[in-house]
Amino acid sequence: SPPPPPSPSPPPSHGGAVVDTINARFRNGHATNSLADAGVLLHQIDLLESQNAKWLPCDRWSWCRDFSDRFSVSIVSKQLPYVFDDSLAGLLVDPSVATKAFLCGYPRDGGTMDKVCHPP
């Protein structure tokens, strides 16, 4: 009888190194002052972002203009797998960018609509 057909090739990798980096940050996230080592930085779409560019804070002409100086982000990891609302979509934030703009941090929802974090 003829030999069996060869096994199928594994599916191609999509995103490669970027996906590997994100997965490693999630798996290895831990308590630290380094945002890159703390886990994955996740902004959930919460209606406080630009109407036309969801990756930007609220537009200065929009109803949420009083909050246009901020962009909420959660640190999510295997040790801390909790999100603000598991029904909301979101986007990931590059920790090197967040580190340059980070002003305030809270261990849970900071209620920042009632607060202002001034730059140092």
Side-chain angles (χ1 to χ4, degrees), residues 1 3 8 18 21-23 28 31 36 48 58 60 76-77 82 92 97 104 110 114 117 120:
S1 90
V18 172
T21 298
I22 293 167
N23 287 336
N28 303 320
L48 294 177
C58 186
R60 295 201 184 272
V76 184
S77 69
Y82 313 108
L92 301 181
V97 173
C104 300
D114 294 332
C117 293

Side-chain angles (χ1 to χ4, degrees), residues 23-107:
N23 287 336
R25 283 190 182 134
F26 181 82
R27 267 191 321 274
N28 303 320
H30 62 279
T32 176
N33 288 334
S34 166
L35 292 179
D37 296 331
V40 175
L41 302 179
L42 171 68
H43 169 73
Q44 289 193 277
I45 306 300
D46 58 5
L47 303 178
L48 294 177
E49 49 278 307
S50 169
Q51 292 178 355
N52 299 319
K54 299 296 183 194
W55 59 91
L56 295 174
C58 186
D59 300 303
R60 295 201 184 272
W61 47 263
S62 182
W63 73 270
C64 56
R65 66 186 159 274
D66 290 344
F67 314 111
S68 64
D69 64 340
R70 65 199 72 185
F71 202 63
S72 63
V73 175
S74 297
I75 298 173
V76 184
S77 69
K78 185 176 178 181
Q79 290 184 347
L80 230 98
Y82 313 108
V83 295
F84 180 70
D85 184 330
D86 60 11
S87 69
L88 296 176
L91 55 100
L92 301 181
V93 177
D94 184 327
S96 67
V97 173
T99 298
K100 295 174 188 172
F102 185 78
L103 297 176
C104 300
Y106 302 92

